[in-house]
Amino acid sequence: MKDNNNSEEKSELSTSGRFRRNLLSRSGSLIAGFALVSGGLTAVPALASTENNDASDFTAFIRLSRLLTGHNSLDIQLGERLYSAMCQQNAQFAGWVKQLSDYVQQNNIPDVETLDEKLKQHPLHEPMMAIVKAWYSGVIEPGYHATVYGYQQALMYQIPRDGMVIPTYAHNGPDYWVANPPPVDRLLTF
C-alpha cells in the first residue's frame, strides 16, 4: 500500500515538473518575443496575419509540399513558418505555388520525380526545389547565419530517426531532459 502511494506521488511530481518546465519555456519565448518587438525588430508573422496570403494559398502549399516531399504527415506549424518566410523573402512565391499546383493538376503529375523531369528547363523548377530544400533542411536560405524554421521537424532527420540521433551537443538528442532517465540496474562503485 505504501509503495502505491509513492508511485502516485512520483507521478504527480513528474507531471507538475513537466508543467513547470513547459510554463517556463513558454514564458521565456513570450519575453523574447516582446524584446524583439520592442527593440524594433520584427519576428516572422504568423500566416493568419499576413495580408497577401490566405488559407487557400497555404492549403495549396501544403498539398504541393506533400507531393514534392512524398510525405503526407507534414508538420503544419513548420509549414506555416516556411510558407510565411518564403513569401516574405520573395513576393512572387505565392504565385509560383499556385502555378506549380495548377501545373500538377493539369498534367496529372503522380510524384515528384515525374514533376522534376518535366520541369528541368522550366522557370518553375527553382521554386519547386526551394520548397523541397526548405522541408528537408528546415531553412530557406544558405549560409551559417540562416534562420532555422524547423530543426527536429526537418525531414532529413525523420527518415533515419529510428537509427540515428539528430546531431546536437546534447548527447541524448534535443529535449532529452523531458524523457525519464533509464533505470539504474546497479550502482557504480568508485
Side-chain angles (χ1 to χ4, degrees):
M1 191 78 158
K2 194 171 191 176
D3 289 340
N4 193 19
N5 287 341
N6 276 345
S7 66
E8 288 176 356
E9 287 176 17
K10 287 179 184 177
S11 175
E12 289 176 12
L13 289 175
S14 65
T15 303
S16 66
R18 247 183 269 129
F19 174 76
R20 283 192 300 261
R21 283 192 297 271
N22 286 339
L23 180 64
L24 182 62
S25 117
R26 288 185 180 136
S27 60
S29 299
L30 186 62
I31 290 170
F34 284 136
L36 285 174
V37 171
S38 67
L41 299 173
T42 56
V44 175
L47 179 68
S49 66
T50 57
E51 294 172 9
N52 37 345
N53 302 327
D54 64 339
S56 64
D57 291 342
F58 177 68
T59 303
F61 173 73
I62 290 295
R63 193 176 308 117
L64 181 63
S65 295
R66 287 178 178 149
L67 174 85
L68 295 178
T69 62
H71 295 280
N72 288 326
S73 58
L74 296 174
D75 186 318
I76 298 300
Q77 289 178 332
L78 175 58
E80 288 176 349
R81 290 191 300 261
L82 291 173
Y83 182 70
S84 179
M86 292 174 103
C87 285
Q88 278 187 338
Q89 184 184 47
N90 190 325
Q92 296 177 337
F93 183 74
W96 289 335
V97 169
K98 182 168 178 18
Q99 289 175 20
L100 278 166
S101 297
D102 291 347
Y103 187 87
V104 165
Q105 285 181 338
Q106 291 167 359
N107 294 295
N108 275 341
I109 305 292
D111 54 31
V112 67
E113 290 82 9
T114 306
L115 183 62
D116 183 49
E117 195 61 40
K118 290 192 179 250
L119 293 180
K120 279 287 187 204
Q121 302 301 321
H122 197 279
L124 288 175
H125 190 264
E126 189 176 327
M128 178 195 79
M129 292 306 294
I131 294 170
V132 172
K133 287 176 188 175
W135 277 106
Y136 272 88
S137 65
V139 297
I140 64 168
E141 54 205 15
Y144 61 91
H145 286 297
T147 301
V148 177
Y149 296 96
Y151 182 69
Q152 261 185 287
Q153 306 92 344
L155 291 179
M156 68 179 169
Y157 297 126
Q158 301 310 309
I159 296 167
R161 191 173 195 133
D162 62 338
M164 182 184 103
V165 175
I166 296 173
T168 179
Y169 287 107
H171 294 278
N172 291 331
D175 297 332
Y176 73 93
W177 53 86
V178 296
N180 289 331
V184 177
D185 293 345
R186 61 184 176 85
L187 293 174
L188 297 174
T189 55
F190 296 96

